[in-house]
Amino acid sequence: VQLQASGGGLVQAGGSLRLSCAASGFTFDDYAIGWFRQVLGKEREGVLCISSNDDSTYYADSVKGRFTISSDNAKNTMYLQMNSLKPEDTAVYYCAAALGVGAGICSGFGYGMDYWGKGTQVTVSS
């Protein structure tokens, strides 16, 4: 079982990036899937998650209206589209999945997630 994140990089404030996370060894059915981020020295925070278990979505307040999440089940890949990026969005971004729960699991620090991808660095310059 593996999650492989990609798509990070350096972008100017106001720009956009799309992160991808490909899953192998399992499918997204019955999983809450989504993205977390962490800045060095700070707690990891949930950014945006969706769950097919209860059709729920979780957004961090700081990204509402700017970030969207989607998945392509045929490719077993999830995406995080990040628009209007701000310097405070700079972080290492991780994709994750949890079996059998709603998206609300992402409101915490990631405890309870079953699978994690390696992080991808997003840097937003001012």
Side-chain angles (χ1 to χ4, degrees):
V1 173
Q2 188 175 17
L3 290 170
Q4 182 69 46
S6 61
L10 173 65
V11 64
Q12 288 189 332
S16 298
L17 277 177
R18 189 176 81 156
L19 305 183
S20 300
C21 179
S24 59
F26 74 106
T27 65
F28 293 150
D29 296 339
D30 302 322
Y31 279 83
I33 59 175
W35 297 86
F36 292 76
R37 65 186 181 187
Q38 188 167 22
V39 176
L40 188 64
K42 294 188 176 182
E43 289 276 11
R44 182 172 52 203
E45 65 167 343
V47 176
L48 212 167
C49 293
I50 56 175
S51 174
S52 62
N53 293 300
D54 58 2
D55 293 324
S56 58
T57 304
Y58 168 81
Y59 283 89
D61 288 340
S62 59
V63 306
K64 283 182 179 178
R66 300 188 299 121
F67 290 12
T68 57
I69 188 172
S70 62
S71 65
D72 184 336
N73 289 345
K75 295 182 179 180
N76 226 24
T77 300
M78 70 172 103
Y79 305 96
L80 181 67
Q81 178 65 44
M82 304 183 292
N83 299 326
S84 302
L85 282 160
K86 304 175 181 180
E88 51 264 42
D89 294 317
T90 295
V92 178
Y93 283 71
Y94 300 88
C95 56
L99 178 63
V101 295
I105 192 172
C106 295
S107 63
F109 302 122
Y111 302 123
M113 304 304 287
D114 295 307
Y115 306 123
W116 289 91
K118 291 183 180 179
T120 184
Q121 176 71 46
V122 172
T123 303
V124 184
S125 63
S126 57

